[in-house]
Amino acid sequence: MRIVSADTGGALLTEDYEPVGLIATAAVLVEKPYRTATLGTFRYADPFNYDMSGRQAVREEAFLAVELARKVKPDVIHLDSTLGGIEVRKLDEPTIDALTITDRGKEVWKDLAKELQPLAKRFWEETGIEIIAIGKSSVPVRIAEIYSGLYTARWAIEYAREHGRAIVGLPRYMTVEIRSGKIYGESLDPREGGLFGEIGADTDGIGWELYPNPFVRRFMVLEVWRE
């Protein structure tokens, strides 16, 4: 099975490790043996002007996933929203009200569905490909999350090259290495079967350090500076 998935991850942090806003949305094509992406695409957000309610992330994930899926024609699209694997084209208000999620989550999805339900329905009618809200139980979504962390590291390099320094938080349970001409990342969870990713990057003239976030267990902090 060929699966397109999308996720948003990585956050710009203050000196006190407070999140400012999210950085990167990644959409990836994942194929057997489901350990990394065959190919992918990404989009940076403006972390200084970010809607942390979840609306912006889910919307950008859906549109970026559809953009990639139109090119690679997968069997299904997985979105990072834990709604039990329901098809997004079926998310009308009565269906959302029946979901076992918080009232706040229902309000967010009622707002999102105004735009995403027609998108998913139209895409399904054109291609037969479902967009399902499956969340972190999906391995391809987790791989997309790892790639969002890789693109966050690349954003940090680009930001540090211009501004001198950047501090970013990576997605949960992942590590990165900044190598010559590339950034490599992998899951730190041994139960995930060795999920990993790699992207190209201009890494010349950059110093970096990776360490645990002292306030949030399971998350690593990446500091990057211009040398």
Side-chain angles (χ1 to χ4, degrees), residues 76-79 81-92 94-101 109 120 130-135:
V76 68
I77 294 174
H78 286 185
L79 294 186
S81 191
T82 308
L83 302 182
I86 192 170
E87 297 91 344
V88 174
R89 66 185 172 91
K90 297 178 181 178
L91 284 175
D92 54 19
T95 302
I96 294 169
D97 281 330
L99 295 172
T100 55
I101 59 176
W109 261 105
E130 291 281 13
I131 304 173
I132 65 174
I134 189 171

Side-chain angles (χ1 to χ4, degrees), residues 208-223:
W208 63 282
E209 183 180 12
L210 185 71
Y211 54 88
N213 188 315
F215 293 99
V216 189
R217 189 172 64 87
R218 302 184 301 161
F219 292 86
M220 303 294 285
V221 172
L222 175 68
E223 286 196 40

Side-chain angles (χ1 to χ4, degrees), residues 5-165:
S5 59
D7 194 22
T8 302
L12 178 64
L13 303 178
T14 68
E15 295 283 346
D16 297 324
Y17 306 109
E18 291 290 331
V20 176
L22 301 185
I23 292 171
T25 298
V28 295
L29 172 65
V30 179
E31 301 173 286
K32 190 177 180 181
Y34 310 113
R35 291 195 181 96
T36 191
T38 302
L39 56 87
T41 187
F42 74 98
R43 186 170 296 151
Y44 290 144
D46 176 6
F48 297 101
N49 183 28
Y50 198 89
D51 175 7
M52 296 292 278
S53 71
R55 291 172 174 83
Q56 182 173 345
V58 174
R59 182 187 181 280
E60 290 181 356
E61 289 159 18
F63 277 91
L64 194 61
V66 166
E67 180 182 307
L68 179 60
R70 289 192 184 280
K71 298 175 183 176
V72 302
K73 298 178 173 55
D75 297 295
V76 68
I77 294 174
H78 286 185
L79 294 186
D80 179 30
S81 191
T82 308
L83 302 182
I86 192 170
E87 297 91 344
V88 174
R89 66 185 172 91
K90 297 178 181 178
L91 284 175
D92 54 19
E93 281 211 19
T95 302
I96 294 169
D97 281 330
L99 295 172
T100 55
I101 59 176
T102 65
D103 289 342
R104 178 181 172 277
K106 290 177 183 179
E107 290 307 310
V108 167
W109 261 105
K110 284 177 183 178
D111 186 32
L112 284 168
K114 295 172 186 176
E115 196 169 8
L116 298 191
Q117 187 196 18
L119 170 74
K121 185 176 181 181
R122 185 169 61 251
F123 188 65
W124 176 76
E125 289 170 346
E126 292 172 357
T127 66
I129 299 170
E130 291 281 13
I131 304 173
I132 65 174
I134 189 171
K136 291 291 192 293
S137 63
S138 162
V139 168
V141 165
R142 172 60 168 152
I143 292 170
E145 183 178 42
I146 289 171
Y147 272 81
S148 74
L150 294 174
Y151 287 113
T152 292
R154 192 160 88 176
W155 181 94
I157 290 171
E158 294 167 2
Y159 186 88
R161 185 167 280 120
E162 182 176 355
H163 299 279
R165 185 165 172 263

